[in-house]
C-alpha cells in the first residue's frame, strides 16, 4: 500500500473535516485563519493519503518559542482520523513526527475528541474506549489527565 504524508490546502482539509463523523470547527482551516489573525499563531494543514485516498488530516497551529527558535504544534480537538483504527493512528503519528522534525517543531499537543466513557442521561454507558489512553501512550503520547468537556483554570 502506498502511503503519502503531505501538506494539504485549506479547501481539501475543510472538505475532509465537514464530511468526517467527528467534525469540529476547531479542526478547520477557518479556525487556523482566525487564530493566525491574532498574531502569535500560524497554521498549516497536513494529510495522510493511502492509495491516493485522504484517510487522516489535521489543522496544526504553530507557535515559535522566542528564546529557543523552535516551534510548538497544537492540533485542536485532535486529528481527523478514525481513532478505532490504531494502525492508521500509528502511521499518521509516525509521519507527523518526521514532518515536525523537519519543521523544527519540538513539541506536539493534541486533545482528541474521544470519550473514555460516554453515558446517557440515566447514567447508562453508551460508548467506551478503555484502552485508548494506553494505546496512545504506546505511540509516545503523554496523557495529561481527563476533563469534563468544560474546564476552568
Amino acid at each position: 500500500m502506498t502511503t503519502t504524508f503531505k501538506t494539504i490546502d485549506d479547501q481539501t482539509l475543510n472538505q475532509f473535516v465537514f464530511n468526517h463523523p467527528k467534525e469540529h470547527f476547531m479542526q478547520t482551516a477557518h479556525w487556523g485563519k482566525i487564530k493566525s489573525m491574532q498574531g502569535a499563531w500560524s497554521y498549516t494543514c497536513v494529510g495522510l493519503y493511502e492509495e491516493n485516498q485522504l484517510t487522516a488530516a489535521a489543522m496544526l497551529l504553530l507557535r515559535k518559542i522566542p528564546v529557543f527558535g523552535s516551534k510548538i504544534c497544537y492540533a485542536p480537538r485532535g486529528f481527523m482520523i478514525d481513532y478505532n483504527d490504531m494502525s492508521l493512528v500509528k502511521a499518521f503519528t509516525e509521519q507527523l513526527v518526521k514532518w515536525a522534525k523537519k519543521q523544527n517543531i519540538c513539541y506536539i499537543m493534541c486533545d482528541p475528541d474521544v470519550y473514555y466513557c460516554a453515558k446517557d442521561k440515566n447514567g447508562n454507558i453508551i460508548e467506551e474506549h478503555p484502552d485508548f489512553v494506553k494505546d496512545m501512550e504506546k505511540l509516545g503520547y503523554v496523557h495529561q489527565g481527563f476533563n469534563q468537556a468544560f474546564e476552568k483554570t
Side-chain angles (χ1 to χ4, degrees):
M1 178 178 356
T2 305
T3 303
T4 307
F5 184 91
K6 62 184 180 179
T7 302
I8 59 176
D9 63 51
D10 292 2
Q11 183 179 354
T12 301
L13 175 78
N14 288 338
Q15 183 177 5
F16 188 73
V17 171
F18 296 147
N19 289 302
H20 197 276
K22 297 286 271 186
E23 57 91 13
H24 192 280
F25 77 94
M26 290 176 67
Q27 295 165 313
T28 66
H30 303 299
W31 184 247
K33 285 180 185 177
I34 289 168
K35 293 299 287 181
S36 65
M37 287 170 31
Q38 296 172 348
W41 296 94
S42 62
Y43 80 97
T44 193
C45 308
V46 296
L48 181 72
Y49 288 81
E50 293 180 335
E51 301 296 334
N52 297 319
Q53 175 79 25
L54 185 59
T55 57
M59 187 281 294
L60 304 172
L61 294 172
L62 306 170
R63 188 174 196 161
K64 288 185 181 179
I65 301 172
V67 176
F68 301 105
S70 57
K71 296 177 252 180
I72 59 171
C73 174
Y74 174 46
R77 303 310 295 144
F79 315 127
M80 297 287 7
I81 195 167
D82 179 0
Y83 284 104
N84 294 313
D85 184 348
M86 287 312 290
S87 63
L88 178 60
V89 176
K90 181 181 182 199
F92 185 81
T93 297
E94 288 171 350
Q95 293 299 316
L96 177 61
V97 169
K98 287 180 189 176
W99 175 85
K101 287 179 180 177
K102 292 177 185 174
Q103 305 301 314
N104 198 26
I105 294 168
C106 65
Y107 190 77
I108 301 170
M109 299 175 287
C110 67
D111 56 348
D113 185 18
V114 176
Y115 294 104
Y116 179 76
C117 179
K119 297 180 180 181
D120 65 16
K121 66 181 180 179
N122 298 316
N124 300 311
I125 295 173
I126 56 174
E127 185 179 352
E128 278 188 292
H129 300 278
D131 297 326
F132 180 73
V133 171
K134 290 177 196 163
D135 291 341
M136 293 296 282
E137 287 176 334
K138 287 177 189 174
L139 297 177
Y141 293 93
V142 177
H143 187 244
Q144 299 292 320
F146 294 103
N147 65 44
Q148 299 296 319
F150 281 91
E151 303 298 310
K152 183 175 182 194
T153 57

